[in-house]
């Protein structure tokens, strides 16, 4: 072009941005600045900042911020939104908070970016608080607002707050929006209410693959493998093409129910029928599938034949299987692979400790713990929480911080007495680092049992008891929950780090295969 004006330059920068050629968008913005520093406008700045956000180039993003300040365009809402987005996606959350606090005019996009920044940084409570602050300022949420805040509620398992937001969605008319409907399905499922998740799904018209995947993932998380397969087949009959995430849920459902051949059938159909190349998550599911079924040698051969180099998720699935089946030799070998891949992950060291302890190698287990201390790796402390009358109560092991501590421990003794009459026998292998004489009693101080006791004391008769835990629930707690559901005639729902356990009449939805 013999003559180029600002529109020409912006068209090129925006074009590169839309085609994901972010480095070239940044290069053209730099060239534009060199040709004429004063020529750039809010479109130029916003596009350059978006490009920086997508490649994580916060260094140049800060330089763009400085130029925007000099030229006075930083006061424009459009540019401010791009700045907050850039700092957020580059992981500079403190800069996000500072910038958000200092800007004047905020539109719904500004609030959405701030809410999403909280989500990216796992600050789910702040994300929910920002949503309600936006509402108090009189701004009307959009699709992105509702989807982001529902995602936060799902991660907090905040059913009451999620239901309040659902009411807002109904009033605003966004309930027919497919993105919002899918987020509602996920929120209710992760909060332990599969019935509500199904109701939203059934009421949604013209469901897309995201909606189908949301309900399939919900059933998988709640241990309903038969429904997962049925829904997946129904989705195919309706002509909906599954995506990468759909297959993760289907394969995971097969692995948690021992459907080895069925799992391999769906795995092979990914490339042969649907043209989707398996990723690490799918390979990890197959290793988990074989490992849970006790086919550890086959799982190891499968890893060795993978067309891509196995990552920590794949080796981690095999190490968990070694723990479940007390395979010492393979466990030590796999643990070494994981120590090289992720030396700072405490979970791998804990799994190896468990394998060594179960095989009577207490001295070697102590050596692993000393190694953890030497390199500064600490096991995440287990905690459980329960909601009572819109208040959340958190428990750690042997917790005595609650105002009803005496009643809680008295209830625990009552539960212990009743479940023993039903045939409960303590599974003392789950009492790690305890002297033999204290092992059984220490099991009764696990955080989820304390939460159960408070639920039995505080929730109305017949109401379900919903407990959340940040780690995998142990086998002994799992057994106690089964007996307690029968003894007290209560539905007990435990959400641990990997799935939901629904205990009713002495039976768990996982079929003791988790």
């Amino acid at each position: 072009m013999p003559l180029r004006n600002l529109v020409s330059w912006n068209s090129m920068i925006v074009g590169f941005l839309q085609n994901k050629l972010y480095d070239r968008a940044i290069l053209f913005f730099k060239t534009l600045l060199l040709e004429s520093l004063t020529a750039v406008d809010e479109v130029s700045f916003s596009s350059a900042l978006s490009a920086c956000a997508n490649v994580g180039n916060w260094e140049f993003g800060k330089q763009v911020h400085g130029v925007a300040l000099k030229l006075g365009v930083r006061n424009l809402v459009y540019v401010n939104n791009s700045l907050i987005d850039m700092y957020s996606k580059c992981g500079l959350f403190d800069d996000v908070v500072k910038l958000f606090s200092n800007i004047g005019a905020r539109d719904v996009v500004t609030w959405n970016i701030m809410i999403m920044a909280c989500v990216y940084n796992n600050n789910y409570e702040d994300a929910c608080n920002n949503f309600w602050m936006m509402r108090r300022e009189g701004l009307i949420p959009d699709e992105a607002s509702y989807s982001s805040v529902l995602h936060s509620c799902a991660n907090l398992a905040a059913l009451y707050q999620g239901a309040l937001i659902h009411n807002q969605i109904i009033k605003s008319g966004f309930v027919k929006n497919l993105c919002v409907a899918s987020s509602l399905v996920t929120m209710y499922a992760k909060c332990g209410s599969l019935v509500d998740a199904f109701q939203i799904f059934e009421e949604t018209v013209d469901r897309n693959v995201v909606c189908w995947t949301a309900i399939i993932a919900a059933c998988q998380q709640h241990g309903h493998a038969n429904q997962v397969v049925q829904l997946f087949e129904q989705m195919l009959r309706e002509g909906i093409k599954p995506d990468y995430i759909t297959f993760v849920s289907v394969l995971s459902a097969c692995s948690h129910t021992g459907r080895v051949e069925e799992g391999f059938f769906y795995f092979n159909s990914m490339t042969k029928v649907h043209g989707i190349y398996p990723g690490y998550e799918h390979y990890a599911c197959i290793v988990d599938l074989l490992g849970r079924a006790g086919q550890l040698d086959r799982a190891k051969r499968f890893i060795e034949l993978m067309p891509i180099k196995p990552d920590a998720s794949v080796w981690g699935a095999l190490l968990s299987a070694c723990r479940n089946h007390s395979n010492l030799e393979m466990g030590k070998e796999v643990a070494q692979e994981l120590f090289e891949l992720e030396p700072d992950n405490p979970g791998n060291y804990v799994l190896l400790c468990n394998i060594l302890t179960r095989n009577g190698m207490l001295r070697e287990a102590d050596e692993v713990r000393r190694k953890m201390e030497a390199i500064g790796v600490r096991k995440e402390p287990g905690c459980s929480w329960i909601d009572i009358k819109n208040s959340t109560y958190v428990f750690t092991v042997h917790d005595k911080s609650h105002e009803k501590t005496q009643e809680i421990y008295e209830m625990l003794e009552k539960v212990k007495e009743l479940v023993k009459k039903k045939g409960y026998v303590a599974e003392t292998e789950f009492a790690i680092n305890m002297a033999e004489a204290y092992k059984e009693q220490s099991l009764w101080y696990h955080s989820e049992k304390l939460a159960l006791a408070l639920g039995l004391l505080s929730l109305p008769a017949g109401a379900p008891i919903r407990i959340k835990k940040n780690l995998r629930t142990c086998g002994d707690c799992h057994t106690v929950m089964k007996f307690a559901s029968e003894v007290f005639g209560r539905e007990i729902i435990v959400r641990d780090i990997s799935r939901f356990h629904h205990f009713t009449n002495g039976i768990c939805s996982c079929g003791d295969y988790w």
Side-chain angles (χ1 to χ4, degrees):
M1 292 175 66
L3 293 173
R4 300 168 182 159
N5 59 13
L6 183 57
V7 176
S8 311
W9 281 100
N10 283 348
S11 297
M12 288 302 297
I13 295 169
V14 171
F16 286 132
L17 184 66
Q18 291 174 343
N19 286 276
K20 299 182 180 179
L21 300 169
Y22 305 119
D23 288 329
R24 296 195 71 183
I26 292 170
L27 177 62
F28 265 58
F29 178 79
K30 288 179 179 177
T31 310
L32 173 59
L33 285 179
L34 290 171
E35 287 210 354
S36 177
L37 180 64
T38 57
V40 289
D41 63 2
E42 64 267 28
V43 176
S44 322
F45 278 109
S46 296
S47 302
L49 289 166
S50 295
C52 291
N54 281 286
V55 294
N57 190 346
W58 60 268
E59 295 95 339
F60 186 69
K62 284 196 169 186
Q63 293 178 36
V64 176
H65 187 179
V67 175
L69 285 170
K70 287 179 182 177
L71 299 181
V73 296
R74 217 277 287 167
N75 295 323
L76 299 171
V77 174
Y78 195 54
V79 177
N80 277 330
N81 291 346
S82 298
L83 276 168
I84 297 172
D85 184 55
M86 184 272 295
Y87 283 123
S88 170
K89 289 180 178 176
C90 290
L92 304 174
F93 188 66
D94 290 340
D95 292 289
V96 172
V97 174
K98 188 186 298 182
L99 186 58
F100 182 80
S101 301
N102 292 331
I103 60 176
R106 300 168 181 161
D107 60 7
V108 68
V109 177
T110 316
W111 282 99
N112 286 349
I113 295 169
M114 187 61 207
I115 293 168
M116 276 308 302
C118 294
V119 172
Y120 286 144
N121 286 272
N122 300 324
N123 294 331
Y124 302 117
E125 289 188 17
D126 288 342
C128 293
N129 291 336
N130 278 310
F131 175 82
W132 293 114
M133 286 168 62
M134 178 180 73
R135 295 294 291 122
R136 285 194 291 273
E137 287 197 5
L139 291 171
I140 300 172
D142 61 9
E143 170 188 320
S145 316
Y146 287 124
S147 295
S148 300
V149 73
L150 287 171
H151 179 78
S152 298
C153 291
N155 280 281
L156 291 169
L159 180 60
Y160 176 73
Q161 185 157 196
L164 287 179
I165 293 165
H166 187 186
N167 290 336
Q168 297 264 329
I169 290 167
I170 293 170
K171 291 175 183 177
S172 65
F174 272 96
V175 74
K176 294 181 180 179
N177 182 285
L178 290 179
C179 184
V180 173
S182 301
S183 298
L184 277 169
V185 169
T186 301
M187 183 275 294
Y188 276 120
K190 287 192 173 182
C191 290
S193 182
L194 192 58
V195 172
D196 288 314
F198 256 106
Q199 184 174 342
I200 299 295
F201 177 75
E202 294 295 338
E203 291 173 355
T204 304
V205 182
D206 297 325
R207 297 176 292 231
N208 59 12
V209 66
V210 180
C211 290
W212 280 100
T213 299
I215 195 64
I216 287 171
C219 291
Q220 181 269 318
Q221 290 163 356
H222 286 262
H224 298 287
N226 290 333
Q227 280 185 297
V228 169
V229 174
Q230 290 168 9
L231 285 164
F232 181 70
E233 294 295 339
Q234 183 184 344
M235 181 183 81
L236 295 179
R237 287 194 298 271
E238 293 191 12
I240 305 296
K241 182 178 172 61
D243 63 12
Y244 186 98
I245 301 170
T246 316
F247 275 104
V248 173
S249 296
V250 173
L251 294 175
S252 183
C254 292
S255 77
H256 281 86
T257 49
R259 302 175 179 219
V260 176
E261 299 311 317
E262 205 167 353
F264 268 96
F265 171 79
Y266 287 122
F267 179 78
N268 293 327
S269 74
M270 287 179 64
T271 50
K272 293 178 179 178
V273 179
H274 303 286
I276 300 172
Y277 289 99
Y280 289 116
E281 296 92 339
H282 306 107
Y283 286 110
C285 284
I286 294 297
V287 172
D288 190 51
L289 170 69
L290 294 169
R292 289 176 187 275
Q295 301 181 31
L296 272 67
D297 291 330
R298 188 180 173 190
K300 192 167 184 294
R301 285 197 304 273
F302 178 82
I303 293 175
E304 291 167 351
L305 295 172
M306 280 174 54
I308 56 177
K309 186 178 180 180
D311 71 346
S313 67
V314 176
W315 287 116
L318 185 56
L319 185 60
S320 294
C322 291
R323 187 271 312 274
N324 293 339
H325 297 280
S326 299
N327 190 316
L328 177 61
E329 293 306 316
M330 189 181 293
K332 289 164 72 175
E333 183 184 337
V334 173
Q336 289 304 318
E337 293 279 354
L338 284 163
F339 293 160
E340 291 181 13
L341 286 171
E342 41 181 26
D344 297 328
N345 185 350
N348 300 325
Y349 297 92
V350 172
L351 283 173
L352 180 58
C353 277
N354 290 343
I355 295 170
L356 292 167
T357 303
R358 286 188 182 186
N359 283 274
M361 302 177 70
L362 302 181
R363 184 181 300 172
E364 289 82 353
D366 285 337
E367 287 178 6
V368 174
R369 295 188 192 98
R370 282 195 291 271
K371 181 181 178 181
M372 289 176 68
E373 290 179 9
I375 62 176
V377 175
R378 291 187 177 183
K379 177 189 173 185
E380 183 182 1
C383 67
S384 299
W385 59 100
I386 184 171
D387 296 326
I388 308 287
K389 295 181 180 178
N390 304 330
S391 295
T392 300
Y393 299 94
V394 182
F395 292 93
T396 56
V397 64
H398 214 322
D399 200 317
K400 292 187 176 181
S401 61
H402 197 278
E403 59 184 11
K404 291 185 177 180
T405 290
Q406 185 176 341
E407 295 98 312
I408 288 170
Y409 279 83
E410 287 172 358
M411 175 57 76
L412 274 182
E413 288 299 319
K414 180 182 177 182
V415 173
K416 181 165 70 170
E417 181 183 338
L418 291 171
V419 299
K420 279 191 171 183
K421 287 180 180 178
K422 280 287 184 179
Y424 160 76
V425 178
E427 300 176 49
T428 54
E429 67 266 29
F430 295 104
I432 309 294
N433 293 338
M434 294 299 296
E436 197 65 38
Y438 299 102
K439 280 189 173 183
E440 180 176 347
Q441 190 58 36
S442 72
L443 289 170
W444 283 94
Y445 302 143
H446 283 193
S447 61
E448 54 264 62
K449 291 190 180 89
L450 294 169
L452 170 66
L454 179 62
L456 291 169
L457 285 167
S458 306
L459 292 170
I465 298 174
R466 303 176 192 273
I467 300 167
K468 285 83 73 175
K469 184 168 183 177
N470 65 330
L471 303 175
R472 187 179 188 268
T473 191
C474 84
D476 186 77
C477 289
H478 190 269
T479 301
V480 168
M481 296 295 173
K482 286 198 298 181
F483 279 114
S485 69
E486 182 180 8
V487 169
F488 293 96
R490 303 286 285 264
E491 180 186 13
I492 303 170
I493 303 166
V494 178
R495 168 187 164 179
D496 69 11
I497 195 170
S498 58
R499 66 179 300 158
F500 280 89
H501 298 269
H502 292 256
F503 301 93
T504 51
N505 300 320
I507 299 171
C508 180
S509 58
C510 75
D512 299 339
Y513 193 94
W514 90 101

